[in-house]
Amino acid sequence: MDLPRIFTIRESSHRIHNPFTPGKLATLGQALHLEPGTRILDLASGSGEMLCTWARDHRITGTGVDISTIFTEQARARAAELGVDDQVDFIHADAAGFVADTPVDLVACVGATWIGGGVAGTAELLIQSLRPGGLMLIGEPYWREEVPDQETARACGAGGTEDFLLLPELIEQFGVLGFDVVEMVLADQDSWDRYQAAQWLNLRRWLDDNPDDELAAEVRAELTTDPARYTRYQREYLGWGVFALMRR
């Protein structure tokens, strides 16, 4: 049970495995007015930067669950580095289907709604761990503008134009599911660059160090084509944000 190697190679230097910068993550924490002692469950928590920095800055407590052994180890090391390992803990497990033993104040899935088969299924999963009146965070891509064709959608990492919604339509979807949108923080093109372009240096350094690895040809092909694909398609068409929801 783990992520494919290519994913951990691609994001080996990342503390945040989505198109948020540390500043964006801090803005989100501030916008939520987190009280000391707020209990958080973060599903697909990656390298734990959200829980660890919010534990340091807002004195929250929490648990992160992630399928990656490497990212889980990095999260535990980050908690120790920031001196918050008594406030947060990280579990190596499949976040799909994970429900807290005791309802929490805030439950999150930031950029991994595949754990519930999409936004609706993920919201249904998350609500099972949330106390009445608590906050839910969902991070999700959306189209910044109408996508002209299926080729463009696939170049953005989607299966097709129908995979994502325009931002107003995504907001409306949360309403249809029975939630009020009470906050949001959106990635911008600069923060997308920091997420996406940083992967290219990771890929190149790994390739230089591992020219004979079985993944070398796949890494070389990705590094050759990804910068142009990203700048031609994804940077222009794909948005991403974290949305704070409360059940109606």
Side-chain angles (χ1 to χ4, degrees), residues 134-136 171-184 243-248:
L135 281 170
M136 177 184 297
I171 297 293
E172 289 169 351
Q173 182 186 24
F174 293 134
V176 170
L177 294 173
F179 295 93
D180 289 319
V181 179
V182 297
E183 255 296 358
M184 69 178 188
F243 304 89
L245 315 174
M246 295 183 72
R247 196 170 200 176
R248 291 175 178 168

Side-chain angles (χ1 to χ4, degrees), residues 223-246:
L223 182 57
T224 299
T225 59
D226 194 68
R229 179 201 59 79
Y230 166 70
T231 50
R232 178 171 288 115
Y233 298 106
Q234 187 172 335
R235 194 176 192 271
E236 297 304 314
Y237 288 100
L238 194 62
W240 193 87
V242 179
F243 304 89
L245 315 174
M246 295 183 72

Side-chain angles (χ1 to χ4, degrees), residues 16-26 28 110 184-188 191-192 194-195 240-242:
I16 302 172
H17 301 285
N18 58 60
F20 259 16
T21 60
K24 294 276 188 184
L25 193 59
L28 178 61
V110 177
M184 69 178 188
V185 177
L186 305 181
D188 54 29
S191 57
W192 264 112
R194 298 298 5 102
Y195 173 59
W240 193 87
V242 179

Side-chain angles (χ1 to χ4, degrees), residues 1-2 8 14 17 45-49 52 64-81 85 89-93:
M1 182 178 63
D2 215 325
T8 53
H14 289 50
H17 301 285
S45 52
S47 294
E49 192 72 359
C52 290
V65 181
D66 200 272
I67 199 171
S68 169
T69 53
I70 292 175
F71 294 162
T72 301
E73 291 170 3
Q74 290 176 347
R76 291 169 180 161
R78 183 63 167 156
E81 177 187 0
D85 45 347
D89 66 290
F90 295 94
I91 299 170
H92 174 238

